Amino acid sequence: SPAPYVKNEFITFGTFNSVAKMTPRVLRLWSRVTLSVPKLRLLLKSKTFACDSVRERMWEALESSGLPRHRVDLLPLLPDAKDHLDCYSYLDISLDTFPYAGTTTTTECFLMSVPVISLRTASNHAHNVGATLLRHVGHPELIADSEDEYVRIACELANDVERLLRLRSTLRDEFLASSLCDAPLFTADLEDSYIQMWSEYLQQWAS
């Protein structure tokens, strides 16, 4: 679907990651991003937002970072997969969580042609998977190595509508053509890893 900016004439940032990943540090950074662009809105979607008290705590947490609740939309879980994926039509740009980055959520964004800004915080899988996924689809320019860079990348993309619309029209095809969706290649690499691990195990026994 077209980027929601086309209809709304304002940018919508957001994420569908678990609330458990939305730490106070993450919320402060997302507030910085949202407040840096006039009229920008933040959309968060998680199953726990079906609960009134959870929604209220989230609004209060964002307000404590200076972001007024009228610029924040909170959506609950939708049980039907199609309805869930359709919600990506509300997002112009997705903001990845950190240090525990998104995986399924990030690949869903790619499938629905929503660009993702990710913060690389460490070399382990959980902290670096967002950056790895972005490299595989050919968009390392959306990877940040600091919070300031995260804000800069997000704001530059939000202010470059032509680039944003171009990503909206190409990202799904880039994802489907990438090694992330190459099942035979993945299977061959996995088999090679099994063979290597088995060989190393046998060598340990032999010694």
Side-chain angles (χ1 to χ4, degrees):
S1 62
Y5 173 84
V6 174
K7 177 181 179 181
N8 298 332
E9 297 186 350
F10 59 80
I11 296 294
T12 302
F13 278 114
T15 188
F16 296 170
N17 271 290
S18 168
V19 166
K21 298 180 181 181
M22 300 178 193
T23 65
R25 183 181 170 194
V26 169
L27 296 179
R28 285 194 298 270
L29 185 58
W30 288 352
S31 295
R32 279 183 62 192
V33 171
T34 308
L35 292 168
S36 296
V37 181
K39 296 176 62 177
L40 191 150
R41 296 189 66 81
L42 181 67
L43 170 64
L44 306 179
K45 178 176 177 293
S46 182
K47 62 182 179 181
T48 53
F49 291 144
C51 176
D52 292 342
S53 62
V54 174
R55 291 199 308 275
E56 185 60 31
R57 285 198 299 272
M58 178 57 69
W59 275 318
E60 290 176 354
L62 290 166
E63 284 179 325
S64 71
S65 298
L67 183 60
R69 66 175 64 197
H70 73 263
R71 294 183 65 177
V72 181
D73 297 302
L74 304 178
L75 297 180
L77 173 72
L78 296 176
D80 183 80
K82 181 182 182 302
D83 291 339
H84 167 69
L85 292 175
D86 282 346
C87 285
Y88 283 100
S89 66
Y90 303 144
L91 286 183
D92 289 291
I93 302 168
S94 179
L95 300 175
D96 200 5
T97 52
F98 64 92
Y100 190 177
T103 304
T104 302
T105 304
T106 300
T107 53
E108 285 180 349
C109 285
F110 295 162
L111 181 65
M112 304 309 291
S113 264
V114 178
V116 181
I117 313 296
S118 190
L119 177 60
R120 178 168 43 202
T121 58
S123 59
N124 63 62
H125 171 78
H127 295 182
N128 198 42
V129 63
T132 299
L133 294 171
L134 281 165
R135 285 199 306 273
H136 276 284
V137 296
H139 288 288
E141 76 280 3
L142 300 179
I143 302 168
D145 288 305
S146 69
E147 293 186 18
D148 286 344
E149 189 177 17
Y150 187 102
V151 174
R152 178 185 62 78
I153 292 171
C155 291
E156 285 180 354
L157 184 55
N159 287 309
D160 189 344
V161 174
E162 182 178 343
R163 178 181 167 214
L164 181 60
L165 296 181
R166 186 167 60 250
L167 280 169
R168 190 73 173 207
S169 67
T170 61
L171 186 54
R172 181 202 294 261
D173 290 339
E174 291 170 342
F175 169 60
L176 294 175
S178 74
S179 59
L180 296 173
C181 295
D182 189 337
L185 176 63
F186 175 84
T187 302
D189 287 345
L190 183 62
E191 290 172 342
D192 287 343
S193 296
Y194 287 153
I195 292 170
Q196 181 180 350
M197 287 185 282
W198 180 244
S199 297
E200 291 174 356
Y201 174 77
L202 293 178
Q203 289 174 4
Q204 290 174 354
W205 270 100
S207 60

